[in-house]
Structures are given as C-alpha cells and as structure tokens.
Amino acid sequence: MKRLTKLSILITTLFLALPLAAQEEENTKTSPWSFSVSTDFAYYPLSAPIVSENTHFSTFTGPYSGLEGRTTAHAYYTIPTQIGNNPLTAGDNITLEGYFELSPVSIKPGLSVSFTPIAFLVFNAGAEIGTGWNLLGIEGMGSWNASTESHYASLTPFASWYHHFWFQGTFQFDTGALIPGDWSHVVMLASYKVEHIGITGCANQELWCWQGASNQVNGWKYYSNAILAYQMPLLIKRAGVLAEFSGYYSDDAYEFGSAYDGNFMTVDISPLAQFQLGQNDELSLLFNFSSRRGYSAEYEGSYSETFLSTISREWYFKRIALSWTHNF
C-alpha cells in the first residue's frame, strides 16, 4: 500500500513539553519570546500487503515507496502564571505558539495555546488551516474521483481548505526531579488528543487526501501517545521508545459499513533517539513500525482499500524519519 502519510507531529515536538529537570533552564530566559525552525524528512520502503486472517508482519517487497519532507517556522510567547511558589508550580506558564508549515505540496499556518498549571501536566488546544496542490504525482489535496475510481481529483488551491483543530492533555515526568544527578533522568510522557479534521467542499463520508495521505474523511478522531526515554549528558541526549494510537471515533465515519472497520485503531511503535548538536540544534531520529488493516483480498492500490473487508491487523516497517530543529 503506497501511502505517503503525514510525518508524525510528535517527531518535531518530541520534547516540547519540557520535563521537570529541564524547566530550570527554561526559567532563566529573560525574554518571553523564542523562535525555532524545524525540517522533517521521511523515507518509506515498500511492504506489500499480505492476505491473512491472523495478525501478521509484511516484510520488505521493494526499496522505495515514497519520500516526505517539510519545514516549519515556530514562534513562542511564554507568560508566567505564578500560581504558587512551591516546586510543583514554580514553572507554571501559558505558552502561545504560531507556526507556518511549508511542504512541496502544501502550506499550513496554525496557532496553539498551552497551559502548564503544575510541572507534570500540560493542556493544549490549537487550530490550523492549509491548502495544497499536486506535484510530480504526489496528491497534495484532492477528493475522490467517482467517475474513474482510480485517483483523487485535485481540489483548487486557495479555494478548498484543509482544517484541523484539537484539544490535548499531557502528563510528563522526569525522575531527575527526585534523584539529582546527570545520569538519573528517565523521562516519561503520555498524552491524549481529541481532534477534528476535514476539507471544505467535501461532504461527510466523502473520501479525500491531504499531503499524500489518502482515504481520509471529515470527522472526529483521537490520537494518543506514550514515551519512555533515558536522558544523558552526551551527544545522544535522549533514547527511548514511542508508542502511538490513532483512529476515528465512529465506525460510521466511512459509508462502507462495518466490514471496512471505520474506527480501526492504528498502532505505531518507534525506537527513537535525540541528538544535541551544539547549544541551539537538535536532531531526532525515529524508526517507525506501524500497523494497518489486513484485507480479505488482494488489491491494486490504495484506491480499492475501502471496498474490501478488514479481517486482521498487519504490521510493517513504515519509515525512517529525521527531524532537525534550530532554536534562535
């Protein structure tokens, strides 16, 4: 299944919610403003689906399925809230973020606000809107072409708009807050996000694609993740594992009935590493194993997926992803 899905948001904001031990450094900043630029890149090998009624793993069947890249500029404004003077509330703040994302097939500005009432909790809400176009066979934004049933019809850039808004809660903890020392930092993070996605001009249950990710529909989704990592005073700043869970809330999000399993939960497991390249630069590396629907029959491409019945879960190696961030 060739599908250039959107690079995980988490790789660019992997440790944006700072653990406890890192907040002391954050509190020394004199200016409320901070800026960064991140560039993401992903390489996708090809793993063809296997017809099986049992959970299974699809091995490599080709060296290349696709590439993905984007650059995002971020601006942050932090407001200390000073709820209390105890260690748990010493770093409490509200952070406003504005960003602008540019990829070869899309542009997307966004705004978000984060509230950290105590050191181990972060609440976040945001919205973004974007538009896209086709380039070199990559479908940036399109709707299902029922007349041919072979590709998505390109939507007019700046006339149709992708929109996405969300609410999220995050729990974070660093054992370094309890055990002093450079080698005592085990970072734990878990979050849950409620989000809504859609494209203007596309009716409910109408298939559309965005940034090469096909077979999407307007509707409410969830995204949850958990990170367990070890932090070190070395070039490799953190190393650990990331688990992600996502899907639509309703089985009726698609018009194809329960056979397609419209609220199928996608599960991703990814070993990861974060490198500190000097004072202002960080590089994140992620190896992503993912799961997808296992179907009852072979198919020619992603366009036929929604006409098939889901009978199993198929695991495969999805991508290698890199994210470089420069902080100003």
Side-chain angles (χ1 to χ4, degrees), residues 6 62 132 177 274 294:
K6 180 186 175 215
Q274 186 180 36

Side-chain angles (χ1 to χ4, degrees), residues 35-246:
F35 304 90
S36 68
V37 173
S38 59
T39 298
D40 308 322
F41 173 80
Y43 158 73
Y44 295 76
L46 179 63
S47 296
I50 299 171
V51 178
S52 174
E53 295 183 358
N54 302 314
T55 299
H56 57 279
F57 186 86
S58 174
T59 58
F60 295 125
T61 54
Y64 175 79
S65 176
L67 297 173
E68 188 176 38
R70 66 179 181 184
T71 295
T72 309
H74 304 263
Y76 306 95
Y77 187 84
T78 301
I79 306 169
T81 53
Q82 298 179 340
I83 296 176
N85 295 320
N86 61 76
L88 286 178
T89 60
D92 55 304
N93 63 76
I94 294 175
T95 300
L96 308 177
E97 177 191 5
Y99 57 90
F100 185 85
E101 176 189 297
L102 175 66
S103 81
V105 293
S106 65
I107 58 171
K108 186 178 63 178
L111 295 170
S112 71
V113 56
S114 299
F115 175 44
T116 307
I118 54 179
F120 53 81
L121 286 179
V122 180
F123 299 99
N124 175 268
E128 54 188 15
I129 187 170
T131 193
W133 50 86
N134 292 357
L135 178 68
L136 301 177
I138 302 175
E139 296 168 322
M141 183 177 66
S143 61
W144 176 251
N145 190 339
S147 62
T148 64
E149 295 188 355
S150 62
H151 66 279
Y152 285 84
S154 177
L155 295 171
T156 304
F158 303 101
S160 295
W161 296 90
Y162 168 84
H163 51 87
H164 173 213
F165 61 87
W166 69 91
F167 308 91
Q168 179 173 287
T170 300
F171 168 84
Q172 57 186 15
F173 187 73
D174 181 355
T175 57
L178 301 176
I179 308 172
D182 292 338
W183 299 92
S184 60
H185 297 275
V186 177
V187 179
M188 293 165 278
L189 184 149
S191 71
Y192 188 87
K193 177 191 290 186
V194 178
E195 56 187 346
H196 188 279
I197 62 171
I199 288 184
T200 60
C202 292
N204 290 340
Q205 298 184 325
E206 180 180 358
L207 295 174
W208 48 263
C209 67
W210 168 252
Q211 294 181 332
S214 58
N215 297 341
Q216 301 191 68
V217 292
N218 298 349
W220 288 96
K221 302 185 69 177
Y222 62 89
Y223 171 81
S224 180
N225 67 70
I227 297 175
L228 179 63
Y230 181 62
Q231 181 173 305
M232 300 160 282
L234 301 173
L235 174 64
I236 301 180
K237 184 178 181 179
R238 297 184 181 99
V241 63
L242 161 69
E244 300 172 276
F245 311 88
S246 61

Side-chain angles (χ1 to χ4, degrees), residues 15-34 78 80 87 90-93 119 174 176-177 182 185 231-233 237-238 274 276-282 327-328:
F15 297 98
L16 182 59
L18 295 174
L20 292 177
Q23 289 181 356
E24 295 180 2
E25 178 182 348
E26 186 74 12
N27 292 338
T28 63
K29 293 182 179 179
T30 57
S31 173
W33 288 98
S34 59
T78 301
D92 55 304
N93 63 76
D174 181 355
D182 292 338
H185 297 275
Q231 181 173 305
M232 300 160 282
K237 184 178 181 179
R238 297 184 181 99
Q274 186 180 36
Q276 186 70 47
L277 308 178
Q279 184 176 358
N280 298 320
D281 295 273
E282 295 179 347
N327 298 292
F328 296 93

